[in-house]
Amino acid sequence: MSHHPSVIEAAIQATKTYGAGSGGTRNISGTAHLHVELERTIANLHEKEAGLVFTSGYVANEAALCTLAKGLPNCVAFCDEKIHASMIQGINHSRVPKHVFSHNNLDQLRQQLSKYDKKQPKLIAFVSVYSMEGDFAPIEVICDLAKEYNALTYLDEVHAVGIYGKGGAGLANALNQQHRIDVIQGNFAKAYGVIGGYITGSKSLVDYVRSMASGFIFTTSLPPMIASAATTSIKVLQEADDLREKLWDNVNLLKSLLAKTQVNYHNTPSHIVPVVIGDAKACKDFTDALLHDFGIYVQPINYPTVPRGEERMRLTVTPFHTKEMIHEMADALSFLWGKFFMKMAG
């Protein structure tokens, strides 16, 4: 989407009108009509009352989670062990009591929630599509637990928006759970191809974050040209079911080809396909060989992004990869897998 003609044109026209920068913080001189339009767009996308735009997805998570947890009297936070670093930082900076449950372990989450009075404020932070594992959160059951134990739900949809749900509204939308989530967070830097992050929720909740979050108040706002490009990208993808269908055709092709090889890939339910190497040097050497010998660029993912011993590649095809490219990728992975792991075994 960063190369989509409509997105590029929106950025160009906004730059000519508003200039290259925003001019200041949102609360002083850095709010343009395009920021307001973008916030209305994300609120409509997720069927929420309001939206708030931040300079990045990281800042959105850190600022919103810290502000909400700190602002709720005697709040207790509960989070999946594999939430994003920005979510961990936000909760840590709030200094509220925190419980971490094993990845998607709902029995453990229930045990943790049950230790507290139902009237005590609680916040459950989790992710819809986990970026390193490629698996889904059990959104419906977490919402059930939140209702039973009187907890707010905070869902990171960064790797789902644009791809899942009606018009790309995310996995919660696809599972008909969107209305049960109190705060939906996303960004514009993945499927939408621009930059920036956001939260959506009730008007009162969003106004509270707007008024109290230092990560929003004390930083220069996104340039209006970025806001215009992001709004355009969202609106284009809301009507782009053909691109989503082509994406899933390519994802399914890649997985079907890898299933015929010895490559240690995870057959996830998502568009993310992890290939676990399990050794930092081997992972770097493997991706170097992909690039130098086959002209295929994949980044190695090592510690601290994943634990030591779980080093991996993360494959994400797009609608614009051809079938020939995907066959070439599978063949290259299969060839190098045999070469590298025969060598390591020897």
mmCIF file of all heavy atoms in Angstrom, residues 37 78 91 134 195 201 214 229 238 251 272:
data_model
loop_
_atom_site.group_PDB
_atom_site.id
_atom_site.type_symbol
_atom_site.label_atom_id
_atom_site.label_comp_id
_atom_site.label_asym_id
_atom_site.label_seq_id
_atom_site.Cartn_x
_atom_site.Cartn_y
_atom_site.Cartn_z
ATOM 1 N N GLU A 37 -10.069 13.736 10.545
ATOM 2 C CA GLU A 37 -10.675 12.814 9.573
ATOM 3 C C GLU A 37 -10.139 11.394 9.761
ATOM 4 O O GLU A 37 -10.897 10.420 9.703
ATOM 5 C CB GLU A 37 -10.403 13.291 8.153
ATOM 6 C CG GLU A 37 -11.054 12.417 7.094
ATOM 7 C CD GLU A 37 -10.731 12.842 5.674
ATOM 8 O OE1 GLU A 37 -9.923 13.770 5.497
ATOM 9 O OE2 GLU A 37 -11.284 12.220 4.746
ATOM 10 N N PHE A 78 -3.492 -7.859 33.608
ATOM 11 C CA PHE A 78 -3.273 -9.255 33.235
ATOM 12 C C PHE A 78 -2.862 -9.257 31.770
ATOM 13 O O PHE A 78 -3.521 -8.641 30.928
ATOM 14 C CB PHE A 78 -4.558 -10.070 33.429
ATOM 15 C CG PHE A 78 -5.110 -10.001 34.826
ATOM 16 C CD1 PHE A 78 -5.914 -8.937 35.216
ATOM 17 C CD2 PHE A 78 -4.807 -10.987 35.755
ATOM 18 C CE1 PHE A 78 -6.412 -8.862 36.505
ATOM 19 C CE2 PHE A 78 -5.308 -10.907 37.053
ATOM 20 C CZ PHE A 78 -6.110 -9.847 37.432
ATOM 21 N N ILE A 91 2.471 -1.229 30.593
ATOM 22 C CA ILE A 91 1.994 -1.781 31.866
ATOM 23 C C ILE A 91 3.036 -1.595 32.964
ATOM 24 O O ILE A 91 2.710 -1.201 34.094
ATOM 25 C CB ILE A 91 1.626 -3.268 31.693
ATOM 26 C CG1 ILE A 91 0.401 -3.407 30.781
ATOM 27 C CG2 ILE A 91 1.356 -3.919 33.050
ATOM 28 C CD1 ILE A 91 0.108 -4.812 30.327
ATOM 29 N N GLY A 134 2.439 -16.445 14.886
ATOM 30 C CA GLY A 134 1.471 -16.559 13.799
ATOM 31 C C GLY A 134 0.153 -17.176 14.225
ATOM 32 O O GLY A 134 -0.657 -17.558 13.378
ATOM 33 N N ILE A 195 2.690 5.032 8.375
ATOM 34 C CA ILE A 195 3.302 5.016 9.708
ATOM 35 C C ILE A 195 2.318 5.642 10.685
ATOM 36 O O ILE A 195 1.454 6.435 10.295
ATOM 37 C CB ILE A 195 4.658 5.773 9.735
ATOM 38 C CG1 ILE A 195 5.425 5.473 11.023
ATOM 39 C CG2 ILE A 195 4.449 7.280 9.539
ATOM 40 C CD1 ILE A 195 6.848 5.990 11.034
ATOM 41 N N GLY A 201 -12.143 3.393 21.005
ATOM 42 C CA GLY A 201 -12.951 2.956 22.140
ATOM 43 C C GLY A 201 -14.093 3.921 22.367
ATOM 44 O O GLY A 201 -14.477 4.670 21.460
ATOM 45 N N SER A 214 1.052 11.235 28.398
ATOM 46 C CA SER A 214 2.195 12.080 28.030
ATOM 47 C C SER A 214 2.719 11.737 26.639
ATOM 48 O O SER A 214 3.233 12.607 25.934
ATOM 49 C CB SER A 214 3.313 11.942 29.070
ATOM 50 O OG SER A 214 3.777 10.610 29.143
ATOM 51 N N ALA A 229 -2.490 10.096 3.843
ATOM 52 C CA ALA A 229 -2.119 8.827 3.210
ATOM 53 C C ALA A 229 -2.727 7.654 3.967
ATOM 54 O O ALA A 229 -3.222 6.691 3.352
ATOM 55 C CB ALA A 229 -0.598 8.697 3.162
ATOM 56 N N GLN A 238 -10.653 -1.008 2.606
ATOM 57 C CA GLN A 238 -12.012 -1.375 2.999
ATOM 58 C C GLN A 238 -12.804 -1.939 1.823
ATOM 59 O O GLN A 238 -13.733 -2.723 2.012
ATOM 60 C CB GLN A 238 -12.738 -0.153 3.584
ATOM 61 C CG GLN A 238 -12.352 0.151 5.025
ATOM 62 C CD GLN A 238 -13.118 1.322 5.592
ATOM 63 O OE1 GLN A 238 -13.052 2.441 5.089
ATOM 64 N NE2 GLN A 238 -13.853 1.080 6.663
ATOM 65 N N VAL A 251 -0.843 -17.166 0.493
ATOM 66 C CA VAL A 251 -0.486 -17.773 1.782
ATOM 67 C C VAL A 251 -0.708 -19.275 1.736
ATOM 68 O O VAL A 251 0.163 -20.069 2.142
ATOM 69 C CB VAL A 251 -1.316 -17.147 2.930
ATOM 70 C CG1 VAL A 251 -1.134 -17.946 4.226
ATOM 71 C CG2 VAL A 251 -0.937 -15.697 3.139
ATOM 72 N N ILE A 272 0.946 -15.288 8.730
ATOM 73 C CA ILE A 272 2.350 -15.310 9.153
ATOM 74 C C ILE A 272 2.838 -16.752 9.223
ATOM 75 O O ILE A 272 2.207 -17.594 9.852
ATOM 76 C CB ILE A 272 2.503 -14.632 10.530
ATOM 77 C CG1 ILE A 272 2.098 -13.153 10.434
ATOM 78 C CG2 ILE A 272 3.921 -14.769 11.056
ATOM 79 C CD1 ILE A 272 1.950 -12.473 11.774
#
